[in-house]
Amino acid sequence: MSNKKIACDAGRKKYVLKKSVFEKEIELCKKLSKKNKGKCDWGKCKDCGVFPLLHKLHKGELIDNKDELKKIKKDVLKHK
């Protein structure tokens, strides 16, 4: 393991993940969340790190504010 310090903005390139792949993965999250009442085999949607990772890889934006992340997940997944 490297002793280099990793900055929060490390790897923040836009479109590492193509829009079509991003949208397909988000749709899969929505479908599983609805089907399984807010969870999938990876855990509960409200605690999931998949969406923030997909967002970072596609848009190059790091979502590190908990309230902002909750709002975005709620808007995307439509849970209460």
Side-chain angles (χ1 to χ4, degrees):
M1 179 176 232
S2 174
N3 289 332
K4 291 182 182 179
K5 186 176 179 180
I6 298 175
C8 280
D9 61 353
R12 287 176 46 183
K13 293 181 184 178
K14 284 186 175 185
Y15 313 120
V16 171
L17 188 66
K18 292 180 182 179
K19 183 177 181 178
S20 61
V21 175
F22 173 77
E23 289 175 350
K24 186 190 299 186
E25 293 301 320
I26 295 299
E27 283 302 314
L28 180 58
C29 286
K30 286 180 184 182
K31 182 178 178 180
L32 289 171
S33 179
K34 184 176 181 179
K35 178 181 175 184
N36 298 314
K37 299 180 179 150
K39 60 184 175 180
C40 75
D41 288 340
W42 288 20
K44 294 181 182 178
C45 299
K46 69 181 186 87
D47 301 325
C48 186
V50 171
F51 178 75
L53 178 60
L54 292 172
H55 185 85
K56 177 185 169 194
L57 292 174
H58 175 62
K59 297 189 178 183
E61 299 170 349
L62 182 64
I63 306 170
D64 60 354
N65 179 289
K66 287 182 182 182
D67 292 332
E68 179 184 359
L69 183 55
K70 280 183 189 179
K71 182 186 180 317
I72 290 171
K73 282 185 181 181
K74 183 178 176 183
D75 291 346
V76 168
L77 298 174
K78 306 288 187 237
H79 18 120
K80 299 179 183 204

